[in-house]
C-alpha cells in the first residue's frame, strides 16, 4: 500500500496514467515492434560487431529511426578490438574419428595452421579446474561439461557463462593448449553450438577456445567413457585483427517541456554471427523503437525526451554501453529513468526498480498500469537497467529491471537458431506495451526518480 | 476372427507362441538394441556410403555380429557410384547479403570454381515447375518451398521427397542453373538442412542442387516478398568420383531344423554424413541385431535361420537392397518372411502383411502376441518389407510392414540432428520386442507364408 503523498514525492498525473493505459492497450494489438524485428533480421541478418554487417546494421538503424519519424537521429562512436571468425572445424581424431559441431568463442585466437591436436582432459566443474594441478592440464585441451537446464529466469546461465568466460583464462594460466565447453545453452537435442565471449583480456595470454553443441558434448563424453586417451583436433581460423570503430545509434522523441531530460531505453544492435540475432537482440531494439514510435504517434510530444539507444558491440563486453556511460556520466542527473531489453522476446513478468524512496509511489503507479498485462511488481529487488544501460545505472541513473520469460531463451541464444521465427508476435507486443507505458509515465512524472552521480552504488543490482 | 484351421494352413505351435511372449516381455526391459545403436553411432559416427567411415561401419558390423555370438557372419559386395561431399556454402548476394544454411543433395554436381551466382525463381509446387515455361527457368536457380507437417505416418514425406528427387531433374531439363528446396523436414525452427538423394541418373544431365533449412527457406521467402530480384550464390564442392564397392554385412543365427530357410530382418548400415545416422538407420540395424541376439540367447536354436542384414548404401538409391535381391532372387522361396526397420526408433503401432491366404492365421497369431505392446493388426493393407527388403518382396518374399510412430522422425531425418540422443531406449526396446517375437514365430511356424517367385506382384505394397 502506498503512503500518503507529500510534496517531495514523485507522482504521475492522472491524465498521463490514462494515456499510458491507452498506449498499453494499443500496443498489445500493434505489430510495429514485430515488423521492426523482421526488417532488421531480414534486411541485415547477423551483425557481428566489426563485420561488414555491423556497418549495414548502423545504416539500417539510422534509416529506420528516420522512417519511423523520430525527431533526432545521431550516432556516437564506439571503438573496440575487432574479432573476426573466418572458419572453424573440430574432430575427434582418436579413438573414434569423427567431426564435432563447435564454434569459436569471442577473443579466441586461431589454432596454428594445420590445426591443434591434443589429448582431452575433462573437469567436472569450473571449481575442479581451478583446483587442478597444472601438470594434469599442461599441453591438453581442457573440457568442462556443465549442463544448463531451462528456467524462467535463466539462472543456469550464471554458471554456463562463468565457465565460458573464466574457464579459458584459467586453463591458459595452467598451461592448457586449448579449451572446450559444453555450450552454455538449454537445447539438449540441437547440433547448434552457442557462441559467446571469453574472459581473455591480454592477447598474449590466450588459447584456442570453442563451444561444442550439446549432442557433441554428449558424444565426447561417451567417447571419454571408454577410458582410452581421447585426442581432438581444433582448426579455428579466428582472432583479433586490429581495432574497429562502430557506433551507438540513437533516436529521440524530443520532450516538449524538458527536452534535456531523458527516459533511456534500448537494446543492442550487434549480434553473434551464427544466426540473425533475432531474440538477441533485434527484439530489444524493436521493443524500444516500437514503444517510442507509439509515443511519437500521440497527438502531443511527451514532456521529457524518449531516447532509444541501439548499442554497439554488447556481445564482446558491453563496449557500446561502457562508451555511452563514459561519455554521459556527468549528465546522469538528466536521465529520468532507464532500462534496456536484452533477454529475448518472451513476456515481461516482473518489474523491479532502483529509485529514490520518494519515487516509489510513482513506480507503484507504473506497476498498476502494467499489472493487467501480466507484470508483477517486486518492491524488494533492485532495478539494474539491463545489459548496456547497467553502465549508466552504475553511474547513478535510476533504473528498472523488466524481467522477461527466458524459459526458451537459452535454447537459441548465440546459435544459428536465433532467427526471426523464434519471435512470437503477441509476446513481442506485450513487451512493447510495457516499454511504451512505463516510458511515457516516466516522461510525464511530476518529479524525478533519483538519478544522481553514484546514487545507486549499493543497490546490489550489479551482483 | 480366425477361421477353423485346415491341413494346408500355416500355424505357430503353442510352445513357440509361449516362447515368443517370453522374448517379447524380456525385450521390453532389455537394452541390447539400445547399446548396439550407441556403439555404432559413437564408435563409427556418420557412415556416408563410399566414405572412409563406410568401411569402418562394415568392420564394426562384422565385429559386432561376432561379439554378439552370431553363428555365421559374412559380407556380400555392393558396387555403386561414389558421391563425395567436400564443402558447401550458400548466400543471398542481393538485395540483402547474408549466408544461408544449406546442404548439397546426393548426386548433385559441384558448382564451378568460385561458385554459381544466379537469380532465384520460385515455384509454388512441383506441378507449377512441371508446367512452367522453360523461358522462366533458364539460367535461374529454381526454388520450391513445400512445408512438411508432422504426421504419425510421415505421409508429407511423399511430396517432400518427390520435390527433392524430381525437382532437380525437371529444373535441369528446363535449363535451370541450379535447384533449391525447402528441406523435406518437419523442424520449422531448426537451422539444420535435410540431405537426401536427387533423381539424377545421367551425370551429363545434372545441375547443382541443395536443400535450405526451414528457417533459411523462410528467410529466402521473406526476401523474395520484397519484389526485388533476388540473387543467390551456391558454392558446392561435391560430386561423383568413380565407383566404390562396399558390402551388405550379414549375421545369422543358424536354424536347427531348416538352416536354409530364413527369416530376413535388418536395417541399413550407411547414413547421411551430417549427423551420426542414429534414427536413420543405426536404430534399424540395432533393432534387428538386438532381436536376433535375444533369439540367440534362447536355450535352443530356432527351427529356421534368423538372418540379419545390414544393408549398404540405402540412402542413394537402395543399392544394397537391389544388389541383395538380384543375388538372391532365385532363392526367394527359401525366405520364410521378412521386413526391415528404417523409419527411426518410434514405437511400432501397426502391422500388416503380404502373405498367402493360408498363412493369415499365423499372422493373426503373431498379431495377438504383439497387441499387448501396442501393435494393431491391419489385415487390409499389404506388407511391403521396408526399404531394402522391399526389393526381395518384389521378387516374391512374403513380407510384413511394421509401421513405427514417425511423428518426429522428419524433424531429424538426414540432418546434423540425427544423433544418438534422439533414440528413446524404451521405444527402441519395444521395436526389438516386436522383431524378436515375430521373427521367432515365423522361424517356428508349421508351414510357410507363401514366398515364391513373383508371388506378391499385385499387392500394392510398391505404390
Ligand atoms: Zn544480448
Ligand atoms: Zn548475447
Ligand atoms: Zn533410412
Ligand atoms: Zn534415409
Amino acid at each position: 500500500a502506498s503512503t500518503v503523498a507529500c510534496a517531495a514525492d514523485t507522482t504521475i498525473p492522472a491524465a498521463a496514467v490514462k494515456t499510458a493505459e491507452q498506449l498499453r492497450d494499443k500496443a498489445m494489438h500493434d505489430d510495429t515492434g514485430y515488423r521492426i524485428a523482421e526488417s532488421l533480421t531480414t534486411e541485415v541478418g547477423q551483425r557481428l560487431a566489426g563485420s561488414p554487417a555491423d556497418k549495414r546494421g548502423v545504416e539500417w538503424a539510422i534509416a529506420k529511426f528516420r522512417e519511423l519519424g523520430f525527431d533526432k537521429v545521431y550516432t556516437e562512436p564506439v571503438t573496440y578490438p575487432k574479432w573476426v571468425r573466418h572458419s572453424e572445424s573440430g574432430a575427434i581424431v582418436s579413438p573414434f574419428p569423427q567431426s564435432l559441431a563447435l564454434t569459436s568463442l569471442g577473443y579466441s585466437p586461431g589454432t596454428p595452421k594445420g590445426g591443434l591436436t591434443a589429448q582431452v582432459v575433462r573437469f567436472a566443474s569450473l571449481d575442479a579446474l581451478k583446483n587442478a594441478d597444472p601438470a594434469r592440464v599442461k599441453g591438453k585441451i581442457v573440457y568442462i561439461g556443465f549442463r544448463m537446464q531451462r528456467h524462467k529466469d535463466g539462472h543456469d546461465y550464471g554458471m554456463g557463462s562463468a565457465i565460458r568466460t573464466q574457464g579459458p583464462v584459467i586453463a591458459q594460466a595452467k598451461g592448457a593448449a586449448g579449451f572446450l565447453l559444453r555450450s552454455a545453452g538449454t537445447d539438449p537435442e540441437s547440433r547448434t553450438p552457442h557462441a559467446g565471449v571469453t574472459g581473455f583480456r591480454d592477447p598474449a595470454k590466450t588459447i584456442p577456445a570453442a563451444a561444442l553443441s550439446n549432442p557433441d558434448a554428449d558424444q565426447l563424453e561417451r567417447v571419454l567413457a571408454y577410458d582410452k586417451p581421447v585426442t581432438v583436433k581444433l582448426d579455428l581460423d579466428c582472432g583479433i585483427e586490429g581495432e574497429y570503430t562502430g557506433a551507438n545509434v540513437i533516436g529521440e522523441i524530443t520532450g516538449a517541456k524538458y527536452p534535456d531530460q531523458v527516459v533511456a531505453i534500448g537494446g543492442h544492435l550487434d549480434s553473434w554471427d551464427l544466426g540473425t540475432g533475432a531474440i538477441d537482440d533485434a527484439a530489444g531494439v524493436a521493443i524500444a523503437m516500437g514503444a517510442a514510435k507509439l509515443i511519437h504517434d500521440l497527438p502531443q510530444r511527451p514532456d521529457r525526451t524518449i531516447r532509444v539507444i541501439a548499442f554497439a558491440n554488447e556481445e564482446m563486453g558491453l563496449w557500446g554501453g561502457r562508451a555511452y556511460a563514459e561519455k554521459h556520466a556527468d549528465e546522469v542527473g538528466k536521465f529520468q529513468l532507464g532500462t534496456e531489453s536484452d533477454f529475448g522476446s518472451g513476456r515481461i513478468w516482473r518489474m523491479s526498480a532502483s529509485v529514490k524512496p520518494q519515487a516509489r509511489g510513482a513506480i507503484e503507479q507504473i506497476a498498476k498500469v502494467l499489472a493487467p498485462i501480466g507484470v508483477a511488481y517486486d518492491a524488494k529487488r533492485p532495478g539494474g537497467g539491463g545489459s548496456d544501460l547497467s553502465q549508466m545505472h552504475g553511474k547513478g541513473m535510476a533504473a528498472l529491471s523488466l524481467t522477461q520469460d527466458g524459459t526458451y531463451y537459452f535454447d537459441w541464444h548465440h546459435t544459428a537458431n536465433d532467427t526471426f521465427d523464434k519471435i512470437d508476435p503477441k509476446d513481442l507486443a506485450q513487451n512493447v506495451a510495457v516499454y511504451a507505458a512505463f516510458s511515457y509515465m516516466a516522461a510525464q512524472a511530476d518529479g524525478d526518480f533519483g538519478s544522481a552521480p553514484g546514487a545507486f552504488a549499493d543497490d546490489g543490482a550489479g551482483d
Side-chain angles (χ1 to χ4, degrees), chain A:
Chain A
S2 36
T3 49
V4 176
C6 64
D9 283 353
T10 299
T11 57
I12 321 275
V17 171
K18 194 176 171 191
T19 301
E21 288 167 345
Q22 289 164 348
L23 277 170
R24 175 198 67 197
D25 296 343
K26 182 176 179 199
M28 290 296 282
H29 302 95
D30 185 275
D31 69 352
T32 304
Y34 189 66
R35 294 301 159 207
I36 294 168
E38 181 179 34
S39 169
L40 177 54
T41 57
T42 303
E43 296 162 27
V44 183
Q46 69 85 14
R47 303 168 300 282
L48 187 70
S51 72
D54 180 300
K55 186 159 177 288
R56 291 198 295 270
V58 167
E59 287 160 4
W60 173 91
I62 293 168
K64 187 59 69 176
F65 276 130
R66 290 195 177 133
E67 179 193 325
L68 294 170
F70 279 65
D71 300 317
K72 198 176 162 192
V73 182
Y74 57 103
T75 64
E76 295 178 352
V78 180
T79 299
Y80 48 81
K82 184 170 80 166
W83 183 81
V84 177
R85 182 198 317 273
H86 296 295
S87 67
E88 55 202 12
S89 65
I92 297 174
V93 175
S94 66
F96 307 131
Q98 55 194 285
S99 66
L100 291 169
L102 53 72
T103 196
S104 305
L105 299 176
Y107 298 139
S108 171
T111 50
K113 208 172 165 68
L116 160 71
T117 303
Q119 196 181 325
V120 173
V121 56
R122 180 184 180 180
F123 291 94
S125 65
L126 190 58
D127 277 344
L129 174 62
K130 282 178 186 166
N131 297 328
D133 181 345
R136 280 194 64 208
V137 171
K138 196 170 165 54
K140 301 222 172 74
I141 295 172
V142 165
Y143 167 72
I144 302 180
F146 175 72
R147 286 172 202 271
M148 282 178 60
Q149 304 297 331
R150 293 186 185 111
H151 297 288
K152 194 173 182 183
D153 67 357
H155 65 256
D156 269 7
Y157 189 59
M159 180 53 73
S161 63
I163 293 169
R164 193 192 65 220
T165 53
Q166 299 171 39
V169 176
I170 298 166
Q172 189 277 335
K174 289 182 190 270
F179 181 85
L180 283 174
L181 79 156
R182 175 186 287 272
S183 277
T186 52
D187 48 343
E189 298 191 343
S190 180
R191 297 288 297 284
T192 44
H194 293 240
V197 76
T198 61
F200 290 140
R201 289 296 168 261
D202 178 352
K205 294 182 176 173
T206 60
I207 49 174
L212 293 169
S213 86
N214 268 300
D216 289 83
D218 292 342
Q219 184 80 329
L220 179 60
E221 292 179 16
R222 270 191 297 270
V223 173
L224 285 163
Y226 281 75
D227 272 331
K228 299 174 181 178
V230 175
T231 303
V232 158
K233 179 177 177 179
L234 302 178
D235 204 338
L236 314 180
D237 183 0
C238 59
I240 293 173
E241 297 180 0
E243 274 189 348
Y244 183 82
T245 297
N248 292 328
V249 185
I250 301 158
E252 295 183 356
I253 310 300
T254 307
K257 232 173 174 175
Y258 314 110
D260 64 334
Q261 295 181 21
V262 301
V263 176
I265 56 178
H268 64 85
L269 190 54
D270 71 306
S271 76
W272 285 100
D273 50 336
L274 307 175
T276 63
I279 59 162
D280 187 17
D281 186 30
V285 170
I287 289 162
M289 275 189 174
K293 164 68 174 164
L294 289 171
I295 294 171
H296 163 276
D297 290 349
L298 292 172
Q300 288 162 3
R301 287 288 179 268
D303 287 350
R304 293 179 184 80
T305 291
I306 310 293
R307 179 177 294 172
V308 176
I309 311 163
F311 287 98
N313 198 355
E314 187 275 344
E315 292 295 2
M316 286 188 248
L318 300 177
W319 290 93
R322 289 188 286 129
Y324 189 86
E326 286 307 315
K327 185 176 169 70
H328 298 282
D330 60 358
E331 321 153 32
V332 71
K334 302 280 192 185
F335 284 71
Q336 174 78 345
L337 189 62
T339 196
E340 179 178 359
S341 173
D342 185 19
F343 198 55
S345 55
R347 290 190 185 225
I348 295 167
W349 58 278
R350 188 176 66 195
M351 178 178 80
S352 58
S354 283
V355 297
K356 67 179 183 183
Q358 299 90 336
R360 279 286 153 191
I363 294 295
E364 283 170 17
Q365 288 182 284
I366 293 171
K368 211 170 157 188
V369 172
L370 301 184
I373 54 172
V375 183
Y377 173 42
D378 185 336
K380 297 209 178 77
R381 303 176 71 93
S387 44
D388 298 283
L389 281 173
S390 70
Q391 303 301 298
M392 275 307 285
H393 179 57
K395 302 291 186 192
M397 179 186 78
L400 299 182
S401 283
L402 294 168
T403 311
Q404 293 165 286
D405 185 332
T407 307
Y408 298 101
Y409 184 61
F410 292 108
D411 278 25
W412 308 311
H413 177 252
H414 296 184
T415 76
N417 279 335
D418 180 5
T419 47
F420 180 62
D421 52 291
K422 307 310 181 299
I423 298 179
D424 179 283
K426 297 271 178 203
D427 290 351
L428 195 79
Q430 187 259 14
N431 278 271
V432 174
V434 170
Y435 274 75
F438 107 73
S439 296
Y440 184 75
M441 284 189 278
Q444 304 304 105
D446 284 336
D448 65 74
F449 291 80
S451 296
F456 303 102
D458 303 322
D459 71 351
D463 300 347

